[in-house]
C-alpha cells in the first residue's frame, strides 16, 4: 500500500527547550505512516529556503520519504511556538506570518496529479489550503482529510463530497455535535468519519455502524502529533486489512508511541539566531 501526503510543513519551536522539531499535519502523517508499515510514502509541499527547511528535508530523507515533487520558495519556514502544560498537552503561540506556508498556496499540475494517481490514498488537511484542488485529486486518488477542530458546516459541505476519510479532533465537541458531524459528512458522500476525543479515545462511523476505541495508557511526555499518528496508523492498517476495529486498535497504539517522545516524530534541533530574531 502506498500513501502520498500533500500540504503543510513546519518546525514546531519548543520555547522552554530552545529546540525545534519537524512537523505539520501532512509531514507527521507521512512519517508515521512509513514507520507503521506503509510500503511507500511520498510528500508534496512548499519548502522555505532556510536551515529549518533543510532540517525537515534531511529528516524526510532519513525516513525514506520522497519529496522530489515539492516546491522551494524564498521565504522562511513556518515556525509555530510551542509550550507544554503539566499534562504534556501542547499550547501553541502564534509565530511569524511571513512564512512559506502563509505566503504561497500549492497549485497541482497535470504531472502532479498523474504522480498522485499512483497512490492508494492522498492525505491532506485544513492547514494546507488545498480545498480548490480536492476535486482534481479525487479524480485520481482516494482522499483522507483532517479537519482538526474545524466544524464549520459550509466548509464541511465544500470538502466532504470529495473525500473518503474524514478526521476531526473532537475533545471539545458535545455528543450532539459529534453525531451531527458524522451525519453531515456521510450525507455529503464521505465513507468513514473519525473523531478523536483526547483521553476519551475515538469514535468512528462508516454510515451503517459506530465504533469506539479507548486510548492506550502510556507515560505521556508530549501529545504533539498524536492525532496525526492516529490517522497514520488507522490508514496504514485499514488499507491493508479493510477492518475498522483492527485499524482503530493499531491507530491507538500508534498515537501512544508518539506521546512518549518530543515533537511529532523526534529529530530535535537547537534554536539558531535567525529564529530568535523573528
Amino acid at each position: 500500500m502506498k500513501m502520498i501526503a500533500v500540504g503543510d510543513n513546519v518546525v514546531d519551536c519548543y520555547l522552554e527547550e530552545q529546540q525545534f522539531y519537524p512537523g505539520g499535519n501532512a509531514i507527521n502523517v507521512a512519517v508515521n505512516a512509513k514507520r507503521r508499515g506503509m510500503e511507500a510514502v511520498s510528500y508534496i509541499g512548499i519548502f522555505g529556503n532556510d536551515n529549518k527547511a533543510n532540517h525537515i528535508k534531511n529528516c524526510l530523507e532519513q525516513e525514506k520519504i520522497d519529496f522530489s515533487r515539492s516546491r522551494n520558495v524564498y521565504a522562511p519556514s513556518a515556525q509555530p511556538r510551542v509550550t507544554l502544560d503539566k499534562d504534556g498537552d501542547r499550547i501553541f503561540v502564534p509565530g511569524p506570518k511571513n512564512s512559506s506556508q502563509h505566503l504561497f498556496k500549492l497549485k497541482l499540475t497535470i504531472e502532479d496529479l498523474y504522480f498522485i494517481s499512483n497512490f492508494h490514498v492522498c492525505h491532506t488537511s485544513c492547514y494546507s489550503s488545498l480545498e480548490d484542488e480536492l476535486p482534481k485529486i479525487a479524480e485520481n486518488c482516494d482522499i483522507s482529510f483532517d479537519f482538526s477542530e474545524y466544524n464549520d458546516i459550509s466548509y464541511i459541505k465544500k470538502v466532504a463530497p470529495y473525500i473518503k476519510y474524514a478526521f476531526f479532533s473532537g475533545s471539545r465537541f458535545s455528543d450532539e455535535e459529534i453525531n451531527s458531524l458524522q451525519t453531515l459528512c456521510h450525507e455529503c458522500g464521505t465513507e468513514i468519519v473519525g473523531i478523536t476525543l483526547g483521553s476519551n479515545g475515538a469514535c468512528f462511523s462508516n454510515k451503517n455502524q459506530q465504533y469506539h476505541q479507548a486510548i492506550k495508557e502510556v507515560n505521556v511526555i508530549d501529545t504533539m502529533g498524536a492525532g496525526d499518528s492516529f490517522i497514520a496508523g488507522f490508514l496504514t492498517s485499514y488499507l491493508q486489512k479493510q477492518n475498522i476495529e483492527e485499524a482503530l486498535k493499531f491507530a491507538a497504539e500508534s498515537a501512544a508511541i508518539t506521546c512518549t517522545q518530543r515533537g511529532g516524530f523526534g529529530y530535535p534541533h537547537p534554536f539558531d539566531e535567525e529564529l530568535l530574531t523573528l
Side-chain angles (χ1 to χ4, degrees):
M1 293 293 161
K2 299 191 295 183
M3 166 192 284
I4 184 165
V6 182
D8 59 326
N9 65 84
V10 308
V11 289
D12 295 311
C13 302
Y14 285 59
L15 299 181
E16 287 87 354
E17 291 184 29
Q18 295 286 288
Q19 295 191 110
F20 62 79
Y21 296 78
N25 176 269
I27 291 284
N28 288 341
V29 171
V31 171
N32 281 288
K34 188 69 167 62
R35 288 183 175 182
R36 305 301 175 236
M38 190 72 71
E39 178 184 354
V41 180
S42 291
Y43 168 75
I44 299 176
I46 299 174
F47 289 108
N49 67 324
D50 51 19
N51 290 334
K52 299 163 198 66
N54 291 335
H55 183 59
I56 298 170
K57 292 177 182 178
N58 289 336
C59 296
L60 293 177
E61 288 175 348
Q62 292 186 57
E63 297 289 335
K64 295 182 172 55
I65 293 175
D66 171 62
F67 56 89
S68 59
R69 297 203 67 83
S70 293
R71 282 57 157 171
N72 297 280
V73 298
Y74 289 99
S77 298
Q79 43 198 283
R81 274 62 165 159
V82 181
T83 60
L84 298 176
D85 66 18
K86 60 182 178 60
D87 298 317
D89 288 327
R90 65 193 185 282
I91 302 170
F92 284 106
V93 181
K97 299 298 183 183
N98 64 335
S99 73
S100 56
Q101 304 301 306
H102 291 99
L103 297 177
F104 300 91
K105 288 188 177 181
L106 184 64
K107 297 297 182 182
L108 298 175
T109 65
I110 294 175
E111 291 78 13
D112 291 329
L113 293 169
Y114 177 76
F115 183 73
I116 289 171
S117 70
N118 292 298
F119 294 83
H120 295 94
V121 65
C122 172
H123 177 77
T124 189
S125 76
C126 60
Y127 301 115
S128 298
S129 301
L130 284 171
E131 291 80 10
D132 294 336
E133 302 292 302
L134 296 178
K136 292 183 287 186
I137 298 174
E139 292 179 357
N140 293 275
C141 185
D142 288 338
I143 300 175
S144 160
F145 194 94
D146 186 0
F147 289 88
S148 186
E149 298 180 345
Y150 203 49
N151 61 353
D152 179 77
I153 292 176
S154 60
Y155 182 77
I156 293 172
K157 286 183 176 180
K158 179 178 181 179
V159 171
Y162 302 105
I163 64 178
K164 183 173 182 178
Y165 309 95
F167 298 95
F168 293 86
S169 299
S171 59
R172 300 178 184 177
F173 296 168
S174 67
D175 290 343
E176 182 179 354
E177 287 176 313
I178 290 171
N179 291 333
S180 296
L181 282 176
Q182 290 178 325
T183 299
L184 176 59
C185 287
H186 290 316
E187 288 177 346
C188 290
T190 305
E191 183 175 318
I192 294 177
V193 183
I195 303 177
T196 55
L197 305 172
S199 60
N200 291 319
C203 62
F204 273 55
S205 64
N206 69 339
K207 296 186 180 180
N208 299 319
Q209 189 170 349
Q210 291 281 336
Y211 303 84
H212 184 269
Q213 175 62 47
I215 64 170
K216 299 293 183 179
E217 297 288 346
V218 292
N219 179 28
V220 176
I221 294 177
D222 182 6
T223 60
M224 177 70 75
D228 302 335
S229 186
F230 191 99
I231 293 171
F234 179 86
L235 293 173
T236 300
S237 176
Y238 187 74
L239 288 174
Q240 293 172 346
K241 301 180 180 179
Q242 298 293 302
N243 185 301
I244 291 181
E245 291 178 329
E246 287 190 34
L248 284 172
K249 291 178 182 178
F250 192 74
E253 293 168 358
S254 177
I257 292 170
T258 297
C259 288
T260 64
Q261 63 183 14
R262 286 278 194 246
F265 53 91
Y267 294 103
H269 189 290
F271 280 5
D272 51 35
E273 291 184 4
E274 175 188 333
L275 183 141
L276 296 175
T277 58
L278 290 175

